[in-house]
Amino acid sequence: MIAVIDLFSVLLLIAGAVFFLAGTLGLLRFPDVYTRLHALTKADNVGLGLIIAGLALQAESWAVAGKLVLIWLLVLLAGASVSYLVANGALKRGIRPWKS
Amino acid sequence: MTLLAWGFDGLLLLGLLGLAWKALNSTDLFSAIALFIAFGLLMALVWVRLEAPDIALAEAAIGAGLSGALLLAALARLRGMEGNVTSNTGVEEAPNNIDARLVQWLSAILLLPVLFGLVYGVLSLPGNAVGLSAEINANLAASGVSNPVTAVLLNFRAYDTLLEVFVLLLALIAIWSMGSIQFNRSIETIGKTSLETTSSVLDTLVYLLVPVLMMVAAYLLWVGAHAPGGAFQAGSVLAAACVLLLLAGWPLHRLLTAMRLRLLAVAGPVVFVSMAAYSLIAEGALLQFPPEHAGTLILLLETVAALSIAVTLAALFSGGQGQHE
């Protein structure tokens, strides 16, 4: 049984790492601030969520797992708000969204 | 497993050195600050690896968080003063090119003895140092707390912390002596361009985050007695809440009027010094607490110190002195 949980953990962690890699790649390669934010939020929201899920499976108690989920929720809140503020600030400064 | 740890530590070290180099070498001040914040985060990880979670918490909150906010606020004001948003290079500008070179070489030459001193210090460390942990653990029961770090900081060597609290106050006085901006006015110059009309999302964030931050600060303060945490960590988290409120344009200046701001900022140092004076008279030694009351006294000290630290850091960020009623 333990091995199955470990396997799930590894799969979730790897999937999370893939999201972080893709997000970083997007941050470095995408053409403007809006598309970069789009890439970044995937890493922050889904990537971190998968990693937290993988870690929560290994947690010693429900309290620890709850704390991990709480961290994820706080990052979701901060990430979403800050992305909106950055994008809105960029729009206000007259930075046009990139078109092919 | 050890190979993995070695690899991780090696990557951490390389990343740290690389970030430090890029941050110092970057001509764009904004990217230098962004690199410095990333440096602070990696530094916090290094402290975690060194099994010093207390310092890791402080580094993450102060080194990466508040220092970053402080530097960004300073940069925003610098650009406001220059009037020209793009000329922020400083080093590259032609007229004082030679001066800048001279300063660089001079500081390099002056730093060399420091480097040699550090290398000598590290090399002359005894090979099998036992440290003081055995002595600390032997006396932990008398300190009033069960977290050895707090026992050292607030009891055995409390005068170190006393001096640190005064350093913060001194920094605030130094900044205030450079000119008077009003507490809330100063923030408007930072936030006006982008944050002004985006209030609903920001306000929701503030509504949700500030209570959480206050609770975390209280928790850190309380848990410091038996686990990593304490006045500096709690104070910096509380200061982060203040910074968030200031940036979101909340009328914090009405709560922190000039008089209250000053009273709160000196409360920590004053309580610390009066406790030191009292213990000098009553117990015969500076900051020596009677073991049966030590726990309560430390919690009291830490609470007042955390409030002072929070207010001082927030005032450092705003640069303002508070409004007179």
Side-chain angles (χ1 to χ4, degrees):
Chain A
M1 267 323 274
I2 300 294
V4 178
I5 284 182
D6 283 352
L7 188 68
F8 268 118
S9 247
V10 167
L11 285 178
L12 284 167
L13 287 176
I14 289 175
V18 168
F19 268 92
F20 267 102
L21 189 68
T24 311
L25 210 64
L27 177 71
L28 293 174
R29 301 290 300 168
F30 277 174
D32 73 344
V33 60
Y34 308 104
T35 46
R36 282 179 195 166
L37 276 176
H38 166 79
L40 205 56
T41 44
K42 299 300 160 293
D44 270 0
N45 298 351
V46 188
L48 186 67
L50 288 168
I51 289 203
I52 294 273
L55 291 178
L57 286 182
Q58 302 288 321
E60 293 153 15
S61 66
W62 282 102
V64 175
K67 277 182 200 167
L68 285 169
V69 172
L70 196 65
I71 290 173
W72 181 51
L73 289 177
L74 284 173
V75 171
L76 273 187
L77 174 70
S81 311
V82 169
S83 300
Y84 168 77
L85 289 173
V86 169
N88 201 46
L91 259 185
K92 286 237 166 72
R93 288 190 184 186
I95 299 175
R96 292 264 178 84
W98 173 79
K99 278 182 194 128
S100 63
Chain B
M1 203 56 212
T2 44
L3 190 70
L4 204 64
W6 272 101
F8 185 75
D9 288 352
L11 271 181
L12 209 55
L13 185 65
L14 285 180
L16 210 57
L17 287 175
L19 279 173
W21 176 252
K22 289 283 278 180
L24 287 173
N25 218 19
S26 163
T27 49
D28 177 33
L29 287 179
F30 181 78
S31 30
I33 294 171
L35 289 164
F36 178 77
I37 295 172
F39 177 86
L41 284 174
L42 278 199
M43 199 66 210
L45 275 183
V46 169
W47 287 118
V48 170
R49 288 293 300 155
L50 289 170
E51 288 172 30
D54 292 81
I55 313 178
L57 276 173
E59 176 66 36
I62 300 180
L66 275 170
S67 305
L70 211 63
L71 289 171
L72 284 174
L75 181 65
R77 269 190 215 125
L78 270 181
R79 288 182 176 179
M81 278 179 207
E82 277 178 1
N84 184 1
V85 182
T86 47
S87 82
N88 53 2
T89 47
V91 185
E92 296 288 298
E93 276 161 24
N96 44 18
N97 206 355
I98 297 166
D99 283 355
R101 268 296 148 70
L102 194 68
V103 168
Q104 280 176 351
W105 276 105
L106 264 179
S107 35
I109 289 166
L110 287 175
L111 280 173
L112 266 181
V114 180
L115 177 69
F116 282 124
L118 277 176
V119 170
Y120 176 75
V122 169
L123 288 181
S124 62
L125 280 176
N128 52 351
V130 282
L132 292 167
S133 45
E135 260 177 87
I136 290 167
N137 285 328
N139 290 305
L140 203 55
S143 73
V145 289
S146 60
N147 177 13
V149 177
T150 309
V152 171
L153 285 181
L154 269 304
N155 198 334
F156 303 147
R157 285 184 67 94
Y159 55 89
D160 282 359
T161 311
L162 172 80
L163 293 177
E164 277 170 24
V165 170
F166 269 93
V167 166
L168 261 184
L169 186 65
L170 209 62
L172 186 64
I173 293 172
I175 285 185
W176 277 355
S177 69
M178 287 186 191
S180 58
I181 335 166
Q182 284 191 339
F183 200 58
N184 61 326
R185 191 69 56 73
S186 58
I187 287 308
E188 282 172 18
T189 57
I190 301 170
K192 199 155 200 168
T193 47
S194 56
L195 299 179
E196 197 176 27
T197 51
T198 59
S199 54
S200 67
V201 169
L202 196 58
D203 275 350
T204 313
L205 184 69
V206 170
Y207 267 124
L208 291 170
L209 267 191
V210 168
V212 174
L213 285 171
M214 288 168 78
M215 199 183 67
V216 170
Y219 172 76
L220 281 172
L221 189 64
W222 178 255
V223 86
H226 50 86
F232 269 88
Q233 290 87 343
S236 49
V237 169
L238 209 54
C242 290
V243 167
L244 196 60
L245 285 172
L246 285 171
L247 279 177
W250 281 47
L252 200 61
H253 59 282
R254 271 188 222 143
L255 189 69
L256 294 174
T257 54
M259 185 50 89
R260 284 185 203 155
L261 192 63
R262 283 164 172 71
L263 282 178
L264 274 175
V266 297
V270 163
V271 169
F272 231 125
V273 165
S274 44
M275 219 173 260
Y278 174 76
S279 61
L280 193 59
I281 295 163
E283 303 280 321
L286 194 72
L287 285 166
Q288 181 162 24
F289 305 134
E292 65 270 26
H293 298 305
T296 324
L297 288 177
I298 286 177
L299 187 64
L300 175 73
L301 254 188
E302 287 213 283
T303 310
V304 184
L307 281 176
S308 281
I309 289 164
V311 165
T312 308
L313 288 174
L316 287 180
F317 171 78
S318 116
Q321 304 191 354
Q323 271 173 325
H324 292 279
E325 278 160 291

